Amino acid sequence: MRRSLIFIRTLAVLSLLVAPPALALTSQEAGKVVGLIEKLQPSFGTLAYDEEVADDWYERDEGEERLIARQGFTKASWRAALDATVRGYLAGIPLGEIDALFAELRQKLAKSPKITAEQKSAMEDFIAEEYAELKQLRAEGAPYEATVRPFVVRLRRLLPARLSNE
């Protein structure tokens, strides 16, 4: 009995240390995110997704039309919704398409005559890191993939056609 009580208390303490689960992305939020990207992209440029882009776009919009805030997003909720939307989109891209893209990058690198062996090695490491990061983003986006699916056609037009800047 005492062991069970200690075990339960330990689990309770550990649960406090683990980050709370991400808020679920609703279809309405995903639609708002896609609509905002469509409205802001002409003046902000193509959304090149990274961890800072949500904050950057929010701050830029705050100094202009405040479209993001007018759609009901705070800086934190915008970041969470944009992250979930983009990651959900990435999760829906067939792995074969991603593998083909990275294989093409590796082939181009291998055939590049203007790069030294040391530079090629560094670029190969970079490509491997990018591939691993993309797989991680896809895994994190899996819970949102179904929610984002209705917006895939619009997102394909909005996000870079390629996952890399060649």
Side-chain angles (χ1 to χ4, degrees):
M1 179 70 163
R2 181 166 162 71
R3 277 186 141 167
S4 295
L5 188 57
I6 290 171
F7 180 72
I8 291 170
R9 285 183 182 167
T10 303
L11 283 178
V13 169
L14 288 176
S15 71
L16 295 174
L17 299 175
V18 177
L23 298 175
L25 178 72
T26 67
S27 181
Q28 182 181 15
E29 289 169 327
K32 285 180 180 182
V33 167
V34 174
L36 285 163
I37 295 170
E38 288 170 332
K39 288 177 185 171
L40 294 171
Q41 200 163 51
S43 58
F44 289 7
T46 301
L47 180 77
Y49 180 74
D50 65 23
E51 290 185 11
E52 289 95 32
V53 73
D55 289 346
D56 179 53
W57 276 42
Y58 189 90
E59 290 164 8
R60 289 173 65 188
D61 184 51
E62 277 292 292
E64 295 182 14
E65 296 184 56
R66 296 181 40 87
L67 295 174
I68 298 170
R70 289 194 326 217
Q71 284 293 317
F73 291 108
T74 64
K75 189 175 188 179
S77 67
W78 164 249
R79 183 183 324 111
L82 179 64
D83 286 350
T85 300
V86 172
R87 290 169 195 224
Y89 168 74
L90 293 173
I93 297 173
L95 188 56
E97 187 178 324
I98 291 169
D99 288 343
L101 171 67
F102 278 87
E104 182 182 332
L105 288 173
R106 288 183 186 100
Q107 287 173 352
K108 285 182 179 183
L109 178 62
K111 293 178 182 177
S112 180
K114 298 178 182 179
I115 298 177
T116 68
E118 189 175 289
Q119 290 170 327
K120 275 187 185 180
S121 177
M123 287 298 295
E124 287 168 357
D125 290 346
F126 177 75
I127 290 170
E129 288 171 15
E130 290 295 310
Y131 182 76
E133 183 178 333
L134 183 57
K135 284 184 72 174
Q136 178 66 35
L137 291 173
R138 287 171 45 79
E140 292 168 1
Y144 311 114
E145 191 270 329
T147 303
V148 174
R149 193 177 304 135
F151 306 101
V152 165
V153 172
R154 289 168 62 193
L155 283 166
R156 279 210 184 251
R157 284 193 315 261
L158 295 168
L159 298 176
R162 307 282 294 187
L163 298 173
S164 68
N165 297 333
E166 297 182 60

